[in-house]
Amino acid sequence: MSYKSDIEIAREAKKKPIQEIGAKLGIPTDHLLPYGHDKAKVSQDYITSVQGNKNGKLILVTAINPTPAGEGKTTTTVGLGDGLNRIGQKAMVCIREASLGPNFGMKGGAAGGGYAQVVPMEDMNLHFTGDFHAITSAHSLLSAMIDNHIYWGNEQDIDVRRVVWRRVVDMNDRALRQINVSLGGVANGFPREGGFDITVASEVMAILCLSLNLKDLEKRLGDMIVAYRRDRSPVYCRDIKAQGAMTVLLKDAMQPNLVQTLENNPAFVHGGPFANIAHGCNSVIATTTALKISDYVVTEAGFGADLGAEKFMNIKCRKAGLAPDCVVLVATVRAMKMNGGVAKADLGAENVEAVKAGCPNLGRHIENIKSFGVPVVVAINHFVTDTDAEVEAVKAYVASHGAEAVLSRHWELGSEGSEPLARKVVEVAEAGNANFAPLYADEMPLFQKMETIAKRIYRADEVIADKKIRDQLKAWEEQGYGNLPICMAKTQYSFTTDPGVRGAPTGHSVPVREVRLSAGAGFIVAVCGEIMTMPGLPSKPAAENIQLNDNGQIEGLF
């Protein structure tokens, strides 16, 4: 049996004018800034006006470690949002915007799939409302002003060997990871080494996603450390006087984007940091606003629960005062089989023993989520090749870990298929058994925080860091940054730092090769193993198959 592609389904969507979607939430038309007919930004004035409202229930959707078999976390997020609306709840979806780099590389977009999608899908996965361009431009403005400051006399006495502010571009381009700038003689400045990260790894992206309003945004931008002087004292963005102009560039980007699901339910799509190199959650302003105008908010955190969910709990919830009422952990029978040693080409054949062999990865994530004091429901994202025996094997395993697994068929049936999952989530959330607490206290030493994450979440034996890194952490503690949370930059494919190690390994080490202070965003980044903050394209990038057809429609995007 053949199935329509995601893009074919999205093109058939019967979208409603965005004003009607806003009306479902009580947002007046004059507080929507339309981008065409099917997307709009929500004004800061409206966001301010609802802050006195009672909060709805917060549901986090996360997943097992991603595999080539596919898990469908965003699809489940959207399907659950539709399912909650189907059973009479006033629910919203809050997801991240897609980066152009993965769209043209290997991963693909971030709008869901099948009959559980957010639309307009093509716009969301390409330029959308220009938020990423604004972030790139604001970041680039600061880059230009730093080198300009050095050129015109260097009043701040910046040591050109210690400029830590890198440039960014929203594309996978490995050739830009390490570069030389200001070559070409006296007129072009003082030559130095530099480099590019992908835009989603920018501290500006993290700040936009963690800021409460424009005033908070400007302060955080000013607090970013961009370089060090010869006496090793930090030079801040505010010393370069860039934060005001950067805030102007980000003024509209700070406003959440309102769109709709295929079933015309409201969704905020805003912000887009990667969970393997940043904190991996949609914006605080979108999530907190959604909580004020709906009864249920379904949001997601990037990649597996060891990265996205851990950072959601330890960074986003800590900074924004949020607490999830329930966590939905997405798994697939196919992914269990792949964790159990089955090759991708053989995933279509029934193999109950391989399912059982792969379940420990799922079990590890269940245990980790429970350690935050939050109840967990496992969503088995259904594939048409799944057999009853395989599904039952997953359900039995989850039950042995004190949780319940629900088969959800949202990809195939939309909200009809996710209704059982929605009912279970409401049951768990309304029971009020969540007792959320972050994994570590603010006052815990920075290196000990890294060890806590590595040992309790990854089940590692140790964190390996040389004296230079440990001394840097101690220096930051002495400068007043010791209370910041840790953002682990690590491969998403494994609990270890080796992307080839699946399952639930123990007894491994976590090598930290670099630490970065994101003083404006308010966390310390620990770069582990071989993870890159500027990805490269695969040998056959998706861009090779993307084109316009004779009708002017996009082909090959999905």
Side-chain angles (χ1 to χ4, degrees):
M1 182 176 178
S2 62
Y3 291 90
K4 293 179 180 178
S5 67
D6 291 348
I7 202 164
E8 287 174 324
I9 293 170
R11 283 179 188 152
E12 294 173 357
K14 293 178 170 56
K15 292 180 288 187
K16 292 185 177 179
I18 199 62
Q19 291 79 5
E20 289 188 32
I21 305 302
K24 283 188 172 187
L25 299 167
I27 305 175
T29 298
D30 56 354
H31 283 291
L32 294 175
L33 176 64
Y35 280 67
H37 302 291
D38 52 11
K39 50 192 179 292
K41 284 189 168 289
V42 179
S43 76
Q44 182 63 54
D45 287 343
Y46 176 77
I47 291 169
T48 302
S49 73
V50 299
Q51 291 310 300
N53 294 2
K54 180 183 175 183
N55 277 346
K57 300 285 187 183
L58 179 59
I59 312 300
L60 173 68
V61 178
T62 184
I64 61 171
N65 292 97
T67 69
E71 287 69 47
K73 178 161 43 62
T74 305
T75 308
T76 303
T77 301
V78 178
L80 176 56
D82 283 338
L84 288 166
N85 279 289
R86 181 184 180 88
I87 64 174
Q89 301 292 338
K90 184 180 180 183
M92 272 200 79
V93 168
C94 284
I95 61 175
R96 295 165 299 156
E97 300 177 52
S99 167
L100 290 179
N103 280 336
F104 295 125
M106 182 171 62
K107 177 180 175 289
Y115 287 92
Q117 293 189 57
V118 174
V119 287
M121 186 259 264
E122 295 104 314
D123 291 359
M124 277 182 53
N125 286 306
L126 295 172
H127 302 284
F128 201 27
T129 58
D131 292 344
F132 279 27
H133 296 309
I135 291 166
T136 304
S137 295
H139 187 115
S140 299
L141 172 63
L142 177 55
S143 300
M145 289 182 71
I146 292 166
D147 284 306
N148 188 62
H149 180 93
I150 295 169
Y151 178 82
W152 289 108
N154 197 5
E155 182 182 324
Q156 291 295 328
D157 194 28
I158 293 172
D159 184 345
V160 295
R161 300 167 303 174
R162 295 189 173 94
V163 176
V164 295
W165 189 252
R166 291 164 60 85
R167 287 166 159 81
V168 298
V169 63
D170 190 24
M171 198 58 61
N172 294 3
D173 193 347
R174 63 173 56 83
L176 295 178
R177 286 173 183 160
Q178 206 67 28
I179 62 170
N180 291 320
V181 298
S182 299
L183 301 179
V186 174
N188 296 335
F190 297 86
R192 64 178 179 85
E193 279 193 88
F196 276 78
D197 293 332
I198 192 167
T199 295
V200 284
S202 167
E203 188 176 356
V204 178
M205 171 69 81
I207 286 174
L208 181 131
C209 289
L210 290 169
S211 297
L212 302 175
N213 49 48
L214 288 171
K215 187 174 181 181
D216 186 30
L217 175 77
E218 184 168 359
K219 180 189 180 301
R220 288 173 177 270
L221 291 172
D223 287 344
M224 294 188 301
I225 294 175
V226 300
Y228 290 88
R229 300 179 180 89
R230 290 185 179 273
D231 64 2
R232 303 296 180 92
S233 61
V235 179
Y236 297 94
C237 173
R238 58 177 175 268
D239 296 325
I240 306 297
K241 300 181 177 64
Q243 75 274 20
M246 293 173 73
T247 303
V248 169
L249 284 174
L250 295 168
K251 177 176 66 71
D252 291 341
M254 264 293 285
Q255 299 172 326
N257 305 296
L258 178 67
V259 287
Q260 62 192 288
T261 70
L262 291 176
E263 299 189 15
N264 310 121
N265 292 312
F268 277 154
V269 180
H270 195 222
F274 284 177
N276 57 351
I277 52 180
H279 72 287
C281 308
N282 80 305
S283 73
V284 165
I285 196 169
T287 304
T288 54
T289 301
L291 285 168
K292 297 295 184 183
I293 57 177
S294 55
D295 298 327
Y296 275 82
V297 175
V298 184
T299 190
E300 68 171 350
F303 294 123
D306 58 318
L307 287 171
E310 182 269 310
K311 294 171 184 178
F312 180 90
M313 309 288 195
N314 282 323
I315 298 177
K316 182 174 178 176
C317 289
R318 187 190 303 264
K319 297 288 184 183
L322 297 172
D325 296 281
C326 175
V327 174
V328 174
L329 177 60
V330 181
T332 62
V333 167
R334 288 163 55 86
M336 293 300 93
K337 284 193 280 192
M338 185 160 267
N339 268 291
V342 175
K344 186 177 180 181
D346 300 324
L347 291 175
E350 182 179 84
N351 192 332
V352 175
E353 292 308 310
V355 171
K356 293 177 180 178
C359 276
N361 184 273
L362 173 59
R364 172 76 56 81
H365 289 296
I366 293 172
E367 294 167 6
N368 286 346
I369 292 165
K370 285 185 173 182
S371 72
F372 289 96
V374 184
V376 57
V377 174
V378 172
I380 305 174
N381 181 22
H382 180 257
F383 276 69
V384 293
T385 54
D386 298 346
T387 69
D388 291 343
E390 290 172 329
V391 170
E392 288 305 315
V394 177
K395 287 184 175 181
Y397 181 88
V398 171
S400 73
H401 278 66
E404 185 173 339
V406 180
L407 185 68
S408 190
R409 301 177 66 184
H410 45 273
W411 181 87
E412 181 184 4
L413 302 173
S415 65
E416 179 186 350
S418 62
E419 184 175 332
L421 176 63
R423 292 192 182 280
K424 173 52 64 175
V425 166
V426 169
E427 177 190 323
V428 171
E430 296 294 339
N433 293 327
N435 187 23
F436 169 72
L439 200 63
Y440 50 80
D442 289 346
E443 56 271 17
M444 182 182 286
L446 293 173
F447 189 72
Q448 193 175 336
K449 289 174 182 173
M450 293 180 191
E451 288 184 315
T452 300
I453 296 169
K455 291 178 179 180
R456 292 185 59 182
I457 300 297
Y458 310 154
R459 304 298 201 278
D461 280 352
E462 61 179 349
V463 173
I464 300 173
D466 62 27
K467 185 177 182 298
K468 179 181 178 183
I469 288 175
R470 291 173 186 256
D471 288 347
Q472 179 64 82
L473 294 173
K474 288 177 183 176
W476 285 334
E477 288 170 349
E478 291 168 359
Q479 294 164 15
Y481 296 110
N483 65 336
L484 297 184
I486 300 297
C487 180
M488 301 292 274
K490 183 187 76 69
T491 179
Q492 65 270 32
Y493 297 113
S494 175
F495 280 107
T496 74
T497 55
D498 181 349
V501 178
R502 294 201 175 101
T506 58
H508 52 96
S509 301
V510 175
V512 176
R513 76 169 195 267
E514 179 187 354
V515 287
R516 300 179 184 179
L517 171 57
S518 295
F523 53 68
I524 306 285
V525 179
V527 183
C528 305
E530 301 300 316
I531 192 71
M532 295 287 183
T533 50
M534 167 56 85
L537 292 171
S539 59
K540 295 281 187 185
E544 293 181 2
N545 299 314
I546 297 173
Q547 60 186 352
L548 293 175
N549 64 21
D550 292 341
N551 297 320
Q553 296 173 318
I554 299 168
E555 296 289 352
L557 191 58
F558 292 96

